[in-house]
Amino acid sequence: MGNSINPHIERAEKSGVCQLCNMKLKEFPPELQSVTKNLRTLDLSDNKIPSLPPSIGQFTQMKNFTMNNNHLGMLPEEICKLTKLEGLSFFNNRLQSLPTSLGSLSHLKTLTL
């Protein structure tokens, strides 16, 4: 997995945008940890990712996060640490519930489930 996403990670370091759509990913890419401080937009749609790691809370600059068409069953409470989020899209997943503090994301304008 690493080699195919490395060019995307390198671009994200400069642009703040990372699109890893339809790459047959089966886990949240650990390589993304290198861009936690400057990533503003992340799209992991059309993969097979079943969960998000607690480290998702470290992406403090993220404004838009899209993970449509994956296998997510739940969102970790740490997603509520992304206080700059404006758009969150998890359409066509297996979500059973949402974190109770999701409502505390005061900048959130769009939530698509």
Side-chain angles (χ1 to χ4, degrees):
M1 168 172 51
N3 291 339
S4 64
I5 70 168
N6 282 344
H8 297 277
I9 302 295
E10 290 170 12
R11 276 193 298 274
E13 288 173 357
K14 296 178 180 88
S15 69
V17 176
C18 189
Q19 293 182 315
L20 298 173
C21 304
N22 201 21
M23 297 190 74
K24 299 180 175 126
L25 300 175
K26 293 182 180 171
E27 66 177 5
F28 186 85
E31 294 89 343
L32 286 171
Q33 289 303 124
S34 67
V35 292
T36 57
K37 300 297 182 220
N38 64 328
L39 195 64
R40 293 182 319 278
T41 299
L42 177 59
D43 191 344
L44 294 170
S45 295
D46 302 307
N47 285 293
K48 297 177 181 181
I49 301 171
S51 63
L52 293 174
S55 61
I56 192 68
Q58 296 173 2
F59 291 83
T60 55
Q61 300 303 311
M62 186 126 52
K63 289 186 174 187
N64 293 290
F65 186 21
T66 304
M67 275 194 73
N68 298 326
N69 303 310
N70 273 280
H71 296 168
L72 287 177
M74 63 166 284
L75 298 178
E77 195 67 37
E78 288 83 358
I79 202 159
C80 300
K81 293 180 181 177
L82 307 181
T83 57
K84 294 185 179 186
L85 270 180
E86 295 175 6
L88 196 54
S89 185
F90 291 100
F91 177 77
N92 200 23
N93 275 283
R94 300 172 180 171
L95 294 173
Q96 300 296 315
S97 63
L98 297 173
T100 54
S101 53
L102 198 61
S104 68
L105 295 174
S106 60
H107 295 286
L108 193 62
K109 297 174 185 168
T110 307
L111 175 62
T112 307
L113 300 172

